[in-house]
Amino acid sequence: MVWQGEVGEATSIGQNPDQGMMIFLSVTQLLDVLRDLLQGRTAITRFVGVDSSFTLTFKATKAGISVTSRSGKLGVASRAALAATVLHAADELADSALEALPAHDGVRDDYTAALNQFRSVARSL
């Protein structure tokens, strides 16, 4: 996973300790926690990649959503911009790799459900 903002970058690639993650489970979790934040159910949330030490913190501010990692602040994005960017990346992952999972795999079903719910929230912003 790579996150880039106007003042910083966070990546799970090549880190020590290893920050590789179970990507479909992790992105499903990311979509769920961001959906709650974007809907105003929470003002701050933390994402931790599944089976990883990679973390991001998202905080609602007057200026938008602040994103930080262990290395520091990445930047601030509007709710709509963050939602659109995350949706685009999640759609790309689904388009390029989701078919590799068996058709009736629970992970595939969970990912698809989370993606559809997130898409609905993103379009409402």
Side-chain angles (χ1 to χ4, degrees):
M1 211 177 257
V2 177
W3 284 73
Q4 295 176 318
E6 69 270 7
V7 295
E9 178 179 286
T11 180
S12 63
I13 301 166
Q15 301 296 313
N16 189 8
D18 183 26
Q19 293 182 350
M21 64 190 78
M22 301 173 85
I23 195 65
F24 286 108
L25 293 174
S26 295
V27 174
T28 298
Q29 177 186 340
L30 175 67
L31 295 171
D32 288 343
V33 300
L34 285 179
R35 189 179 71 240
D36 287 345
L37 182 73
L38 293 170
Q39 290 178 315
R41 293 181 183 159
T42 185
I44 189 168
T45 193
R46 188 169 184 217
F47 163 74
V48 180
V50 175
D51 200 26
S52 173
S53 60
F54 182 79
T55 62
L56 295 169
T57 301
F58 301 89
K59 182 178 181 183
T61 68
K62 290 180 182 182
I65 306 294
S66 172
V67 184
T68 58
S69 71
R70 286 182 168 179
S71 60
K73 187 173 182 175
L74 305 181
V76 177
S78 72
R79 289 175 184 268
L82 179 63
T85 300
V86 170
L87 179 60
H88 179 75
D91 276 335
E92 280 188 351
L93 178 61
D95 290 345
S96 68
L98 195 60
E99 288 185 12
L101 297 176
H104 299 291
D105 188 299
V107 172
R108 184 177 183 161
D109 293 342
D110 289 348
Y111 186 90
T112 302
L115 184 56
N116 288 334
Q117 291 170 352
F118 190 84
R119 181 177 289 110
S120 177
V121 170
R123 288 181 177 162
S124 72
L125 297 174

